[in-house]
Amino acid sequence: MEARPYLRKIRINWSEIEDRDAYPYSIPSIESLEEIEFHPDVTFLIGENGSGKSTLVEAIALAMEFGAEGGTKNVRIQSTDDISPLWHNLKIEKSFLRPKDNYFLRAESFYNVATYMDEVGYLGGYGDKSLHARSHGEAFFSALTQKLKGNGFYIFDEPEAALSPSRQMSALTAIHDLVSSESQFIIATHSPILMAYPSSRILQLSELGITEVSYEETEHFTITKDFLNQYPAMLEILLNEEDSQ
């Protein structure tokens, strides 16, 4: 019997929610959510800013017993009190086996996790070197390539925020190596490089709800491709539009 996905499905128990017009339940993608089934390897959550993908990722992470700001399940730091209540209403369906490794990599609060690691003196999983002694991208990449050991369940929220295009391609290789060692990922991203990973499901969050799309159907792919294939003409259109305003 296939052990993965470690996290099979999530559902929202709408009967528990008193005010469906309140945030975050009023976000269109959340408002229409009944059930999400996750890919055994990688599930991407994509969408414009404000579409609810980070809100949903946070709720999944909290429901899976991570701290709100990321790290392993042993890291319990919270610098703000703006955590969405959505996680209280998620019903999770896991497989019969449990992952041996876990990590929540969250771009916006990774600095706080790095500070916590320094404070507790636990740097063994990060090459025995302070994450603050590296660039943001190097710190992110060290977490991906040194901290994560495989047989794991990993949640990433916009990891590309700190990674150059070449590092994003290297991240694809690292993700594939971890998938090959029985790992599962849930990744919220804007990166057309990361979401090209073939063994995956892409879920687009929008005003229409949550829709599964193919890679080449994503705006990230089509817009990037169109721009790079005809960037002189695109620049002329875009900059002329700006000058005329």
Side-chain angles (χ1 to χ4, degrees):
M1 184 176 180
E2 175 62 57
R4 292 181 302 123
Y6 299 115
L7 178 59
R8 294 186 183 279
K9 297 178 182 179
I10 60 167
R11 301 179 181 87
I12 290 187
N13 189 343
W14 287 104
S15 64
E16 296 178 347
I17 299 168
E18 295 181 1
D19 185 3
R20 294 183 62 155
D21 293 327
Y23 179 86
Y25 311 106
S26 58
I27 299 173
S29 61
I30 305 298
E31 184 179 40
S32 65
L33 174 59
E34 296 294 339
E35 177 180 286
I36 291 177
E37 184 172 350
F38 295 101
H39 193 280
D41 297 334
V42 181
T43 301
F44 291 108
L45 303 177
I46 69 171
E48 292 294 331
N49 294 330
S51 64
K53 62 184 183 301
S54 289
T55 300
L56 183 55
V57 162
E58 176 189 83
I60 294 169
L62 289 169
M64 291 294 286
E65 302 179 349
F66 289 98
E69 300 201 15
T72 67
K73 291 185 177 182
N74 295 323
V75 177
R76 295 289 165 178
I77 54 176
Q78 184 176 331
S79 58
T80 65
D81 58 0
D82 61 350
I83 296 174
S84 160
L86 177 61
W87 73 277
H88 291 291
N89 311 113
L90 290 186
K91 304 301 179 183
I92 60 176
E93 179 183 319
K94 302 177 184 179
S95 70
F96 71 98
L97 286 182
R98 299 292 178 262
K100 296 179 181 178
D101 194 30
N102 295 273
Y103 205 87
F104 178 24
L105 185 64
R106 192 171 199 181
E108 67 179 21
S109 54
F110 189 67
Y111 179 93
N112 298 338
V113 173
T115 299
Y116 177 81
M117 292 295 103
D118 281 352
E119 290 173 351
V120 300
Y122 180 73
L123 299 171
Y126 301 94
D128 294 311
K129 182 180 179 182
S130 171
L131 294 171
H132 288 309
R134 320 171 199 205
S135 72
H136 195 35
E138 288 174 333
F140 251 52
F141 201 71
S142 70
L144 175 59
T145 57
Q146 296 178 341
K147 180 64 177 171
L148 310 189
K149 302 301 184 183
N151 290 100
F153 177 73
Y154 307 121
I155 302 177
F156 289 178
D157 188 11
E158 299 188 2
E160 73 277 3
L163 300 177
S164 68
S166 63
R167 276 295 173 92
Q168 290 178 43
M169 289 189 282
S170 297
L172 272 180
T173 300
I175 288 169
H176 182 63
D177 289 344
L178 289 162
V179 165
S180 298
S181 62
E182 301 297 315
S183 297
Q184 180 188 12
F185 287 82
I186 297 173
I187 304 175
T189 185
H190 292 290
S191 169
I193 294 175
L194 293 182
M195 68 180 71
Y197 188 72
S199 186
S200 66
R201 174 173 293 135
I202 303 175
L203 301 178
Q204 181 170 285
L205 282 66
S206 71
E207 294 290 324
L208 300 177
I210 300 177
T211 308
E212 183 170 354
V213 296
S214 69
Y215 176 56
E216 293 187 0
E217 289 177 322
T218 66
E219 284 191 354
H220 309 74
F221 173 83
T222 57
I223 290 174
T224 303
K225 179 183 177 183
D226 288 348
F227 182 83
L228 293 178
N229 283 344
Q230 48 190 341
Y231 74 90
M234 293 291 288
L235 282 173
E236 184 174 352
I237 292 170
L238 293 169
L239 300 183
N240 286 341
E241 282 182 356
E242 173 126 346
D243 290 340
S244 64
Q245 292 177 357

